[in-house]
Each structure stands twice: as structure tokens, then as C-alpha cells.
Amino acid sequence: MLDTPEAVVEALRENNERPHGLQRTITAEELVEAAEPFDEPDVLVTALLELMRSYEFTGEHRKSPVVFARVLKLWDTTPDSFSQWEAHQVFWRFKWVTTSLLQVPDVPLAAIRGWIDQMRTRYSSADHGMQPVAAMGYHVAHHTGEGLADAYDLWATRPRTELSDCEACEIRHFAEHRAAAGDDAGALETWQPVLGGSMGCTEEPQMSQARALLPLLRAGRADEARSHHLTGYRQVRGNTGMQDEVGLHLEFCGLSRNEGRGLEILAENRPLFEATGAPLARLGFLTGAEVLLARLAEDGHADTAVAGPPGRNWTAGELLSHVRSEADRLTTAFDTRNATTAVGDRRRARLAQRPLLAEPLPLGLRTSHTRLAAAQAAPEGAPATAATAGSEVPQDFVALVREARRLSAAGHPGERRLWTRVEERLADGSATHDDALGPEELLQAEIADQRAYRFARKDRDAESAAELKRAAELYGGLGMPWHALSAHSRSLAWLSTSDETERDAVRAGLDETLAEAARLMTQAPTEGQDAEGRAERELEYLTVLYSAAFAAYQDAVRELPEAAGAAGSAGSAAERFEERAGTLRTEAERLSVPHHVANALQFAADLAARRGDTARAEDGLLAALAAVDASGRPWRGSRPRAVLAQLMLGKDEPARAVELLHRALADAARYDDTDFAVAPTYALLGHAASHLDDVTGAVRHLSEAAARFDQDGDHDEATDVRIQLADVLARSGRQADAVAVLESVLGGESAAAGDARALAGARLALARGLRDLGEYLPAAEEFLRLADIVAAWEDDGQVLTLVAAEAATALAMADRWDAAATAYGRAVAAHADAPNPSLIVHMMCEFARLTMLAREADGLDTALDHLTQADAVCAAVPEDAEDYAPWYGRGTVHYRRARALAEAERFEQALAEAEAAIAAHEEGAEHGEVPRAEAVRIAALIEGNGLARFQEAIARLTAAAARCRQAGLQEAAHILDALRQDYTKR
């Protein structure tokens, strides 16, 4: 019942603890009604100010000025009803009224300026400085575009007062002013205290983060833009008071070529389409959405399903029309009200922007729209994206085929793109065979050969072998025995990776092929055959040898586990490989074909690496790279460099690995090697960068790897990389970034797919990350979800103990004590089945600490009860228990009991517990020095501040600081010295 002032005040206190949102606002409105009948208006003042705050932070700017008018009337009639804080708020919230009225186009400018005049009068009467008044004049000038320079000077040159906006918010306005003038560098410099984290408030840094995204991209600082998008968006999503900021994140997605991410943001913010309380912020949201949707429509995705206003289904094109119409209406309303074009000009400038990057900025996030491909689906067996017309792709069909054949003869990876284009031209009827290209069967054989390669890359070995058999038949019919034999050998080699029942037949077929190749090599060259023809014959011969070596390599790899135990069963496979690879290398050297020498060396090096012989593997790869350099085919060096980089990482030489990987990626891009494993290489590069403590590089490369794995359809690999990315971010102190990545990993369908243990680890990291960010209730919810998951793991009960204990602590931090007690009991029960004494003791000590913080009447008794339970856990641990230090457990409990007793001002008992903690930690020798120093600090605080025994405390601190210095703990010594000096001065 809200029938007494005390009941309303208590309800106001409870409502103030709720997050801003619809429920808090509705309750605030009800509490104003409940406060109105009371004789004394002091409760009504409090209720009105709370309601105004609710409107301000949920974007209900139409209603806020009406509430303030009532507050102002009470201030004029019964000023004694206002507390000191509330009196301050009267003057502070004049600023809210001005900015709220600017949000509503129905309010005339004259009325807004009238409020500013009244603000100036009241500030002057109360002897307040005029800087906040000048700031309001600047906001009006910025909004209308009139008198901006003078208004800025009047504001920026005045000294700050106690009623000025917080420094973080003023920095935002100063930076925005410079960015609007085209000075991105100056704006970012101004923003640094906020973006760097040294200054903030309830609205910052998230508002500045949204506004700095495009200046950062334009300045080439994409890594920072990525980070601010990840952390900033989490703070504004779904918040009706942050519509403008959500729109800026949508705009960023469109201009950084992350349209898929933008669509997810639209889906997460559908209610914002219906939020009309702040029309200017609504216009900002709609404009950001329009930028994104226009990009989609321009790229051919107007029919893509998107999330729009609730109540119907939308395509991108339909939503674009709807958003554009609504935004046009609002723009016209503001420009009409202002009698200027400033609002419209700003909107048109935003819509005129083009993407700022040539390729999508990797964000490290999983999205449901991993690729929005503009092209139609490629033919069966073709790559996902076909080559586009351009200077590198001849338009004339005969020239196109001849260029493809030239690249094929050189083994250049760029041939794939051209052959794909050849196949497309024939399929869509834009080209037909030309007799100038030779027999049509030859072109069909070449296309089948290329299609076989594409199938092999997708591990569709049976289909690949079938295409190669067709190519062999066509080559044979054309009187091209070497080409036929080469295609046949490759068809057998690809089948060597298939099931065991076919392997004997494959080996027999390859033996026959080798015999036929040897026979053909004994034949004299065809009469009139030129050097080019002889070289082609030799290459096809070496291809047959390569196929045999490849199949033998596959057999040797399959038998590696047995080889590690006993060489008997693997001997034949290993010997066969050594023979086949040796033949390939010897013949390649004899015929002076270095790239096949490199192939033989790579096979041997890879097998050596798998056997653990890294020295031999390294030597082999270096020799292979030397052979590549001699071959005149530099594009063949990317793969051995990537493998060598893996070895270098294993040898703890990350700098060398980074150099190799950069070269591998650069060559793959330079030579159009679309088959190179780019995604795994970026993942490896990310690991190497993290080993070098290059966090920025690691984040960039792991984000790129995740995006490319998604594009390749390897979503499980992408998830693994994102989990690694989150770990790098968390370990570098960027916990908010890590949480954003983990939320994307665990959101939607991906939470039920992939490796269950890996996803459980990710959820544990997410829960801990949320807890570290102070988001205790969401953290507890994640811990509880995880507890339900791991409860079914019969083989790992300790995980349930861990998760239940952390869930209990998080719930207590979130002030959900009933739920915390349940989780506490679950953790204790889990500990009985799967002991984890260190963790349970930590949980019990945390409950003691949090209980004291809650300051309930029985807080001390409850805290001491938790610590008594912790003593019992310590006492029950067997002496021979592994991974448990009994001295640390006892010391931790004594330390926590000392602090609880000291907070209850039972200083003698507290000092005794602190002494016990010191003694326990001394048992840990060098491992106990750090917690011992902290226990000494607490003992000295109790002695000095609690018992006024300053001389004893000084002596204790002097000895302990010297001990810390001797142990190399300079920071601990400095802390103890500082307290000793404070006591000495007293």
C-alpha cells in the first residue's frame, strides 16, 4: 500500500534500483500519482524528479518538460520542500529541458529560446556561472545551423562551473564540433580521454564511441573502430534513450561493409521503430538504418528478408521505402520549425557517404548473414564467386581460352579464375567453341580437368575422379597419351584418400600407370617435336610420379599411429613412400624441374613433422623453398612457408613465424591463389602475434580468420577462432570486447552446434567476463545455464562444483540472495561428490565479504557462519590432497574473518585473526609472501585505526616492508611503506 509518505519513499528507493526502461517509467508515473495527495510536497518533489529522470533516460523527451514545469512551480512556491541535492537538480535540469525541446519539432524555437532566457535569469539570480547557459545556446545553434561560430566561441571560452555538463559529455560536444568541421584528427585527439577510458559517466563512453566510429575509419584506425563498435554497441542496444547511437552503429556497419552485422542490429532493435518520444533521435536511428538498407539495395539485396517494425514481414527494399518516407517527414518537420536546412543537410550528407573500406572490416563476430553475395549461385562444381569482367580477364573468348592455357602451362594459380570464366561463358551461351582453339574435345577435356580439381578441393573425391576419367578418355581420343596418363594417375591418386576397400586397387592401378609412363619415356620423341613439346611430356611424366608419391604419402600418414608404436605394420607404407618420393625428386632433378623437387621435399617434410622430427621437417621445408625460388614459380612458396611457420611457433620463434605467414598471404594475394588456405593462415598469424604480445595484430588476424572461415562455410572452425579471440582480448584487459565476441558465439543456433565442451568453456568465459564488467545478474544467468549443462557430465563433476560456486557468488553480487543461497547449497552438494576445496573456501569467504557489504542487522553472524563452514571444509581435506595448499586455505579464512570482525569494530578479535592469517601464510614460504604482506597490512590497520597502537603498527610495517623488498616484492613494500609513513605523521 502506498498510503503513507514513508511507503512512497521506500517504493521510490526500490524503483531507483531498477534499470531504466518501460517498467521503471510506469512505476515512476504511478508513484507521482501516489505522492500527490500528501499535505507536504517533499515526497512529490522527489517523485517528479525521479519521473523526469526516467523520461530523460528512456527517450521520452516530449514528456520531460511538462514534468519539469511542475517541479519549477513547486520550487517557486515551496522551496523548503527541496533537499540540497534536489535544489541543485532544479538548476541542473534546465539543460535537460532545452535539449528535450529541441528533440520535438512541434515546439517552436521561440519557446526553446524562452526557456534558455528563463534559465539565464534564474542562474543569474542564484549567482551561478553562465557557461551552462552558453552551452544551451550552442546546442540550439548547432541544431539550426545559425550563428554556430559565435555560439561556440561564447560557450568554449567560458570557464566551467558546478552546473556545467560533466567533462566527458563536454568533450563529446567539442569533438563533434571538430568532426563536423571536417577535422577528424582533431576530433579524435579531443575524444582521447573518453575513448581511452580515463573519463566517463552514465552516458559515456558509449555515446562518444558511436560518434567516433566513422572518424576512426576515415583516419585509418580500423582496429580502434572495431573495438569501439564491439563495446559501445553492447551499451546502447535495445535502449530507447540511445536511438541515435544505435543508428550510428547501423551506419558504421553499412560503411565498413558489414551489412550482415547491420541486419542483426536491426533485428535486435525492432522496438526502436515504435519509439516516438524523441523525434530527433528517432531521425538519427532511421537515417542510420537508411544508410544500411540503401547499401543492401544497391548491392542487389532489395529482396533480402530484414527485421522492421513489428507486425509484418519486411524485405530490405520495402523497409528502405518505409524508413525513407518517415525520415523525410521528420526532416521536413524540423527544417520547417527551424526555418533552415541544417537537419536535412546533415541527413543528406550521411546518405551520400560511400563505403570507407574496399573489403569488410573483420569484427570477430558471428552473424547469421556471413556473406551477402550479389552474384547468382555458381554452376555445380564451380567456386562460390566467379571471376568478374575486367582488364585481367579477356573479353574475347579465344583470347580468354588461350590465356587460361598459358597460365595452366606455367602452373599459375590465376588459371582457376579464367577457366571458371570459360565454363561460365559456355554455360550461359555468351560464347561457343571456336576452331581456332583446336578440337572441341580438347576444350572439354581441359574443363573436365579443372572441374575435377574443384571437386577435389571440396573433398568430393569420387566426383573428382570421375571428371578426370572423362578427361583421360577425351585426351586419349585426341591422341594425347601423356595427358591421358596424367589425368588417369591423378584420378587414382584422389581416390587414395577414400575407404580401405579401394586402396589396393588404387595401388595396383598406380603401379600400372608408372609402368606405362616408364614405357612411354623409352620411346623416342615424336618426329618434329620441339623443345616445348618435350618439356610438356616431361611435366606430364613428373605429374604421374607426383600422383604415385601423393598416394604413398596418404598411406604413410594413415599408418603413423602404428608406426609410433612398432614399425612393423607401417614399414611397407613408409618404405613405399620413401621410394615414390625419392623417385619423384631424382627424376625432377634430372629433368631440371625444381617445383617437383619442392613437391617431393614437402611430402617428406610433412611426414617428418607428423612423426615429431621437427629438425628434419624444417630442413626439408627450407630446401623446398629454395627449390621454389629456383623454379620461377614463386606462387608455390605460400604453402611450405605456412607449414614452416607452424614449426617456428612450436620452436617458440613467433617473430620468424609472423614473417613467413605475412609473405605466404602476400604471395597468395599477389598471384591470385584462391585455393590457398587463407583462413587457417590468418588464425596461425593471430596466434603468432599473440605470442609476440602484439594484441592489436592478434585481434586483427583472428577476426579476419573467423570471417573467412564463415565465408568458407567452416562455422565450427570460425567458432573455435572466436573463442581464441575472446581469450586474447580478455587476457589483454579488453574484457568488454571479449564479452561481445562471446555473446555472438553463444547467440542463436550456434549455441547448440559445435563442440559441447568448447562451447561450455566459452560460456564460462562469458559469465566471468560479465561479472568482471559488473554485470552481475547476466553473469549469474550464464553461470546457471552452464550449471544445467555440465550437470549431465558424469565424467567431470568438479566442473559442476566450480560453476555452481561461481553462480552463487555472482547471484550474491547481484543482490539476489535467495537464489544465491540455492546455488550455494548446490555448490556444497557438488563439492561432496566432486571435491574442489579451494573453490568452495573461496566461495564461502566471498559470501562472508558480500554479507558484510550488504550491512544487514545480522550481517556479522551470517558472515562468521560462512567462515566457520569454510574452516570445516579446510579441516576435511586429506593431507595428501593434490592441487590444494592447506596453509593458503586457512590463511584466507583467517584473513576474511579478521576483516569482518574489524568492520564490526571487534578489533581485539580481528587482530588475533589477522595474526593467525600471517602465521598461516608463512607456512607457504616464498609462495605465501604476497598474501602474508596483505595480512600484515590489515593487522596494521586494525592496530592503528582500530586500537590506536601506532607504534606497534609502525614496527610491524617496517619489518614487513623490509621482508617484501628482500623477496623482490617492491609494490607490496611500497604499499606498506605508505601506510607506515601515514602513521608516522600522526
PDB file of all heavy atoms in Angstrom, residues 757 790 793-801 834:
ATOM      1  N   ARG A 757      32.008 -29.171 -25.259  1.00  0.00           N
ATOM      2  CA  ARG A 757      32.963 -28.761 -24.224  1.00  0.00           C
ATOM      3  C   ARG A 757      33.542 -27.386 -24.542  1.00  0.00           C
ATOM      4  O   ARG A 757      33.716 -26.550 -23.646  1.00  0.00           O
ATOM      5  CB  ARG A 757      34.090 -29.788 -24.107  1.00  0.00           C
ATOM      6  CG  ARG A 757      33.614 -31.187 -23.789  1.00  0.00           C
ATOM      7  CD  ARG A 757      33.558 -31.436 -22.302  1.00  0.00           C
ATOM      8  NE  ARG A 757      32.898 -32.703 -21.990  1.00  0.00           N
ATOM      9  CZ  ARG A 757      33.042 -33.352 -20.847  1.00  0.00           C
ATOM     10  NH1 ARG A 757      33.823 -32.852 -19.909  1.00  0.00           N
ATOM     11  NH2 ARG A 757      32.408 -34.477 -20.618  1.00  0.00           N
ATOM     12  N   VAL A 790      26.450 -28.698 -17.508  1.00  0.00           N
ATOM     13  CA  VAL A 790      27.518 -29.577 -17.020  1.00  0.00           C
ATOM     14  C   VAL A 790      27.011 -30.589 -16.002  1.00  0.00           C
ATOM     15  O   VAL A 790      27.720 -31.549 -15.681  1.00  0.00           O
ATOM     16  CB  VAL A 790      28.687 -28.759 -16.437  1.00  0.00           C
ATOM     17  CG1 VAL A 790      29.234 -27.798 -17.462  1.00  0.00           C
ATOM     18  CG2 VAL A 790      28.272 -28.014 -15.170  1.00  0.00           C
ATOM     19  N   TRP A 793      27.333 -34.046 -17.137  1.00  0.00           N
ATOM     20  CA  TRP A 793      28.673 -34.590 -17.421  1.00  0.00           C
ATOM     21  C   TRP A 793      29.090 -35.526 -16.288  1.00  0.00           C
ATOM     22  O   TRP A 793      29.652 -35.097 -15.280  1.00  0.00           O
ATOM     23  CB  TRP A 793      29.695 -33.459 -17.551  1.00  0.00           C
ATOM     24  CG  TRP A 793      29.483 -32.564 -18.737  1.00  0.00           C
ATOM     25  CD1 TRP A 793      28.466 -32.616 -19.648  1.00  0.00           C
ATOM     26  CD2 TRP A 793      30.298 -31.465 -19.124  1.00  0.00           C
ATOM     27  NE1 TRP A 793      28.593 -31.629 -20.577  1.00  0.00           N
ATOM     28  CE2 TRP A 793      29.722 -30.903 -20.288  1.00  0.00           C
ATOM     29  CE3 TRP A 793      31.464 -30.898 -18.609  1.00  0.00           C
ATOM     30  CZ2 TRP A 793      30.272 -29.800 -20.928  1.00  0.00           C
ATOM     31  CZ3 TRP A 793      32.016 -29.812 -19.249  1.00  0.00           C
ATOM     32  CH2 TRP A 793      31.433 -29.265 -20.404  1.00  0.00           C
ATOM     33  N   GLU A 794      28.834 -36.781 -16.443  1.00  0.00           N
ATOM     34  CA  GLU A 794      29.130 -37.740 -15.387  1.00  0.00           C
ATOM     35  C   GLU A 794      30.624 -37.918 -15.155  1.00  0.00           C
ATOM     36  O   GLU A 794      31.052 -38.358 -14.093  1.00  0.00           O
ATOM     37  CB  GLU A 794      28.487 -39.093 -15.724  1.00  0.00           C
ATOM     38  CG  GLU A 794      26.959 -39.037 -15.800  1.00  0.00           C
ATOM     39  CD  GLU A 794      26.362 -40.378 -16.156  1.00  0.00           C
ATOM     40  OE1 GLU A 794      27.157 -41.327 -16.354  1.00  0.00           O
ATOM     41  OE2 GLU A 794      25.120 -40.474 -16.234  1.00  0.00           O
ATOM     42  N   ASP A 795      31.427 -37.582 -16.155  1.00  0.00           N
ATOM     43  CA  ASP A 795      32.868 -37.825 -16.065  1.00  0.00           C
ATOM     44  C   ASP A 795      33.644 -36.636 -15.502  1.00  0.00           C
ATOM     45  O   ASP A 795      34.867 -36.695 -15.388  1.00  0.00           O
ATOM     46  CB  ASP A 795      33.432 -38.172 -17.443  1.00  0.00           C
ATOM     47  CG  ASP A 795      33.233 -37.048 -18.445  1.00  0.00           C
ATOM     48  OD1 ASP A 795      32.253 -36.293 -18.290  1.00  0.00           O
ATOM     49  OD2 ASP A 795      34.054 -36.920 -19.377  1.00  0.00           O
ATOM     50  N   ASP A 796      32.948 -35.544 -15.166  1.00  0.00           N
ATOM     51  CA  ASP A 796      33.675 -34.348 -14.745  1.00  0.00           C
ATOM     52  C   ASP A 796      32.836 -33.554 -13.744  1.00  0.00           C
ATOM     53  O   ASP A 796      32.407 -32.436 -14.016  1.00  0.00           O
ATOM     54  CB  ASP A 796      34.028 -33.489 -15.953  1.00  0.00           C
ATOM     55  CG  ASP A 796      35.219 -32.576 -15.676  1.00  0.00           C
ATOM     56  OD1 ASP A 796      35.597 -32.461 -14.499  1.00  0.00           O
ATOM     57  OD2 ASP A 796      35.753 -32.001 -16.626  1.00  0.00           O
ATOM     58  N   GLY A 797      32.625 -34.141 -12.569  1.00  0.00           N
ATOM     59  CA  GLY A 797      31.787 -33.498 -11.575  1.00  0.00           C
ATOM     60  C   GLY A 797      32.379 -32.229 -11.007  1.00  0.00           C
ATOM     61  O   GLY A 797      31.654 -31.346 -10.533  1.00  0.00           O
ATOM     62  N   GLN A 798      33.719 -32.089 -11.047  1.00  0.00           N
ATOM     63  CA  GLN A 798      34.340 -30.894 -10.489  1.00  0.00           C
ATOM     64  C   GLN A 798      33.928 -29.636 -11.249  1.00  0.00           C
ATOM     65  O   GLN A 798      33.937 -28.541 -10.687  1.00  0.00           O
ATOM     66  CB  GLN A 798      35.858 -31.025 -10.492  1.00  0.00           C
ATOM     67  CG  GLN A 798      36.393 -31.850  -9.333  1.00  0.00           C
ATOM     68  CD  GLN A 798      37.856 -31.585  -9.065  1.00  0.00           C
ATOM     69  OE1 GLN A 798      38.547 -30.982  -9.875  1.00  0.00           O
ATOM     70  NE2 GLN A 798      38.333 -32.041  -7.916  1.00  0.00           N
ATOM     71  N   VAL A 799      33.586 -29.800 -12.510  1.00  0.00           N
ATOM     72  CA  VAL A 799      33.146 -28.640 -13.281  1.00  0.00           C
ATOM     73  C   VAL A 799      31.845 -28.099 -12.705  1.00  0.00           C
ATOM     74  O   VAL A 799      31.660 -26.882 -12.591  1.00  0.00           O
ATOM     75  CB  VAL A 799      32.980 -29.005 -14.775  1.00  0.00           C
ATOM     76  CG1 VAL A 799      32.429 -27.819 -15.550  1.00  0.00           C
ATOM     77  CG2 VAL A 799      34.311 -29.439 -15.366  1.00  0.00           C
ATOM     78  N   LEU A 800      30.930 -28.984 -12.321  1.00  0.00           N
ATOM     79  CA  LEU A 800      29.673 -28.538 -11.710  1.00  0.00           C
ATOM     80  C   LEU A 800      29.956 -27.813 -10.398  1.00  0.00           C
ATOM     81  O   LEU A 800      29.334 -26.787 -10.093  1.00  0.00           O
ATOM     82  CB  LEU A 800      28.739 -29.726 -11.481  1.00  0.00           C
ATOM     83  CG  LEU A 800      27.408 -29.385 -10.783  1.00  0.00           C
ATOM     84  CD1 LEU A 800      26.623 -28.364 -11.597  1.00  0.00           C
ATOM     85  CD2 LEU A 800      26.587 -30.648 -10.559  1.00  0.00           C
ATOM     86  N   THR A 801      30.894 -28.332  -9.615  1.00  0.00           N
ATOM     87  CA  THR A 801      31.257 -27.657  -8.368  1.00  0.00           C
ATOM     88  C   THR A 801      31.713 -26.234  -8.651  1.00  0.00           C
ATOM     89  O   THR A 801      31.288 -25.275  -8.000  1.00  0.00           O
ATOM     90  CB  THR A 801      32.379 -28.434  -7.654  1.00  0.00           C
ATOM     91  OG1 THR A 801      31.986 -29.794  -7.495  1.00  0.00           O
ATOM     92  CG2 THR A 801      32.665 -27.829  -6.287  1.00  0.00           C
ATOM     93  N   ALA A 834      32.261 -34.245  -5.820  1.00  0.00           N
ATOM     94  CA  ALA A 834      33.478 -33.976  -6.607  1.00  0.00           C
ATOM     95  C   ALA A 834      34.207 -32.828  -5.933  1.00  0.00           C
ATOM     96  O   ALA A 834      34.007 -31.664  -6.285  1.00  0.00           O
ATOM     97  CB  ALA A 834      33.121 -33.629  -8.051  1.00  0.00           C
TER      98      ALA A 834
END
